[in-house]
């Protein structure tokens, strides 16, 4: 393996101190022409190339944006990161991403890491209270923008999605199909996005004189959905919901697979709706009706909001809210 040439090697070759090499490369106006020429000649001879991160840190910049998301195994959050990376790369910056994995302590650990590596700003898809998550970074002068979350107090800029409207679309669709025993399958109550989805559906169902049942699971992955779907398949058909609204596509795909394995027809016996409209929704065992969130664009706009605040911390908070769209497929209307 070829040894990387370092600044010490340049100093030894030129017969000067490391400080002199640093000054010649970064502050050439402070050194003599003769010294600058000696250092330049040694750099060319040895093939020395300063690491970009080191140059940025010497200039008081890391060139990094920190980003923490709730569950990287969900393709929705991967798309958020992709959008943020697009905005960052166009500004010559990079994204350092962390996965909180539905854990507030892990989220705090990632934010602490962002502080220690001197990120220039942070994007937070909050699992816990957004103000608590952002307070320490903001106290250090590091701007924070929420993504897939909103600050009701208006202190933090954000790019988010109208989840109440999304839940409303789902319930209206299911009721229009004649479904009357609706169940919402979600995760822990700590997530305001999930509460909003359920609330939007609940309002519509109540206005029709019906009740929205709800089940909360510790996790929202396909395995959890499959375990719940297997339970539902074993219920008496008279007690079984005729429609299940899942808080994300991962859950919904697990539910559909288990229902089919248990002899329950989708959608004839039970209609299933997901959320996020991830690419997997179109190739599920039964193509999945789902609420589309423009995740890449949401991540990109959040990144752009953050870059604005990195350039000028005095920019007023702005809340961008994306509208929902329901993509109707076989899991509710059949082939």
């Amino acid at each position: 393996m070829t040894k990387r040439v370092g600044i010490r090697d340049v100093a030894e070759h030129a017969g000067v101190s490391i400080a002199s090499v640093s000054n010649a490369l970064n502050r050439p106006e402070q050194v003599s022409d003769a010294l600058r020429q000696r250092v330049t000649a040694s750099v060319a001879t040895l093939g020395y190339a300063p690491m970009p991160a080191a140059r940025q840190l010497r200039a008081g910049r890391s060139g990094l944006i920190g980003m923490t998301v709730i569950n990287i195994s969900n393709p929705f959050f991967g798309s958020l990161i992709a959008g943020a990376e697009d905005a960052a790369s166009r500004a010559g910056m990079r994204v350092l991403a962390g996965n909180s994995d539905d854990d507030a302590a892990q989220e705090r650990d990632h934010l602490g890491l962002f502080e220690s590596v001197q990120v220039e700003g942070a994007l937070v898809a909050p699992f816990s209270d957004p103000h608590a998550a952002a307070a320490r970074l903001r106290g250090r002068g590091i701007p924070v923008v929420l993504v897939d979350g909103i600050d009701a107090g208006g202190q933090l800029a954000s790019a988010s999605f109208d989840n109440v409207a999304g839940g409303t679309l789902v319930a209206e669709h299911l009721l229009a199909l004649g479904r009357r025993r609706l169940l919402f399958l979600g995760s822990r109550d700590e997530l305001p996005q999930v509460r909003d989805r359920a609330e939007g559906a609940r309002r519509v169902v109540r206005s029709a004189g019906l009740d929205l049942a709800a089940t909360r699971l510790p996790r929202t992955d396909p395995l959890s959905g499959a375990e719940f779907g297997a339970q539902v398949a074993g219920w008496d058909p008279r007690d079984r919901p005729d429609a299940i609204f899942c808080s994300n596509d991962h859950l919904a795909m697990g539910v559909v697979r288990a229902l089919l394995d248990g002899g329950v027809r989708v959608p004839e016996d039970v209609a299933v709706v997901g959320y996020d409209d991830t690419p997997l929704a179109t190739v599920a065992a039964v193509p999945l009706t789902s609420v589309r969130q423009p995740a890449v664009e949401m991540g990109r706009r959040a990144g752009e909001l953050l870059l604005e605040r990195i350039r000028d911390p005095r920019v007023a908070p702005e809340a961008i809210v994306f509208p929902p769209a329901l993509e109707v497929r076989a899991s509710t209307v059949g082939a």
Side-chain angles (χ1 to χ4, degrees):
M1 180 180 295
T2 303
K3 177 179 179 292
R4 182 182 180 90
V5 176
I7 192 171
R8 183 182 300 276
D9 300 310
V10 175
E12 292 176 354
H13 187 273
V16 299
S17 68
I18 292 175
S20 294
V21 174
S22 179
N23 286 334
L25 295 176
N26 300 297
R27 292 171 290 278
E29 72 283 355
Q30 297 182 10
V31 302
S32 67
D33 289 342
L35 176 58
R36 186 171 62 253
Q37 290 171 5
R38 287 172 63 186
V39 170
T40 301
S42 293
V43 166
T45 299
L46 298 175
Y48 170 67
M51 294 180 65
R55 287 200 304 267
Q56 289 173 319
L57 285 172
R58 284 194 294 270
R61 298 182 61 244
S62 66
L64 293 174
I65 288 173
M67 185 172 186
T68 178
V69 297
I70 295 172
N71 188 343
I72 196 65
S73 68
N74 185 333
F76 168 75
F77 291 107
S79 296
L80 280 184
I81 294 171
E85 287 180 328
D86 180 62
S89 64
R90 285 187 278 111
M93 303 181 74
R94 295 291 179 266
V95 173
L96 175 63
N99 175 33
S100 67
D101 198 27
D102 296 337
D103 189 306
Q106 194 156 311
E107 180 181 74
R108 289 192 298 271
D109 287 345
H110 287 309
L111 296 177
L113 172 64
F114 297 160
E115 181 184 358
S116 68
V117 299
Q118 302 175 41
V119 297
E120 296 187 45
L123 295 169
V124 178
F127 175 75
S128 58
D129 175 65
H131 288 289
R136 182 168 178 176
L137 291 177
R138 296 179 73 204
R140 299 281 187 177
I142 299 173
V144 174
V145 169
L146 301 182
V147 56
D148 192 37
I150 192 167
D151 174 19
Q155 298 179 36
L156 296 171
S158 62
S160 62
F161 185 73
D162 191 340
N163 285 290
V164 173
T168 297
L169 286 178
V170 172
E172 289 175 344
H173 172 65
L174 292 172
L175 292 179
L177 293 174
R179 307 293 171 157
R180 292 296 179 266
R181 301 190 305 279
L182 277 63
L183 181 144
F184 179 81
L185 183 62
S187 64
R188 312 173 181 186
D189 286 339
E190 288 90 341
L191 291 177
Q193 304 95 310
V194 174
R195 289 200 301 269
D196 286 349
R197 293 166 197 179
E199 180 57 27
R202 185 173 292 108
R203 292 175 186 176
V204 174
V205 172
R206 282 178 176 170
S207 69
L210 303 169
D211 291 323
L212 178 69
T215 296
R216 306 286 182 177
L217 303 176
R219 298 188 65 84
T220 57
D221 52 25
L223 179 60
S224 299
E227 290 174 348
F228 181 76
Q231 294 176 27
V232 173
W235 294 350
D236 187 303
R238 293 168 297 182
D239 299 327
R240 189 184 293 152
D242 60 9
I244 300 176
F245 172 21
C246 301
S247 65
N248 66 39
D249 288 350
H250 259 192
L251 266 180
M253 287 185 286
V255 168
V256 169
R257 183 71 269 168
L259 289 176
L260 295 176
D261 289 346
V264 178
R265 298 172 301 168
V266 177
E268 292 85 356
D269 300 324
V270 180
V272 180
V273 180
Y275 210 96
D276 299 334
D277 195 34
T278 61
L280 294 176
T282 61
V283 296
V286 178
L288 194 62
T289 293
S290 185
V291 177
R292 179 170 56 82
Q293 297 195 84
V296 173
E297 180 61 18
M298 191 187 303
R300 182 183 298 115
R301 290 296 290 122
E304 291 169 351
L305 289 174
L306 183 60
L307 290 167
E308 290 174 7
R309 279 145 188 82
I310 291 172
R311 289 189 287 265
D312 183 0
R314 298 166 297 178
V315 175
E318 179 181 358
I320 298 172
V321 180
F322 290 87
L326 184 68
E327 300 296 332
V328 178
R329 299 190 181 95
S331 68
T332 58
V333 296

